Amino acid sequence: MSQTFDELRSDMAEQERERLFIEDMDRIDAEGDIVELKICVPYTDEPQSP
């Protein structure tokens, strides 16, 4: 399978974004900066209008 230069560049950029995201999540987990948020969302059986 061959790729154009733009496809290759796009794939590489996506891989770098994923790598940075995982690196950030690992750092945040190690530092313990995660805060639980309690959000109340009302429940309704009524269908939503489009």
Side-chain angles (χ1 to χ4, degrees):
M1 179 176 133
S2 63
Q3 290 181 303
T4 66
F5 179 74
D6 286 340
E7 291 170 334
L8 176 62
R9 187 179 61 176
S10 178
D11 288 349
M12 290 174 67
E14 179 62 27
Q15 289 175 0
E16 181 65 4
R17 281 189 294 272
E18 289 175 11
R19 187 191 68 76
L20 290 173
F21 176 77
I22 292 169
E23 185 178 282
D24 286 345
M25 293 299 104
D26 288 345
R27 179 186 50 79
I28 290 168
D29 187 41
E31 293 174 0
D33 291 343
I34 297 173
V35 177
E36 182 180 345
L37 299 176
K38 299 198 184 283
I39 300 173
C40 296
V41 178
Y43 175 78
T44 179
D45 282 332
E46 297 175 24
Q48 301 294 317
S49 56

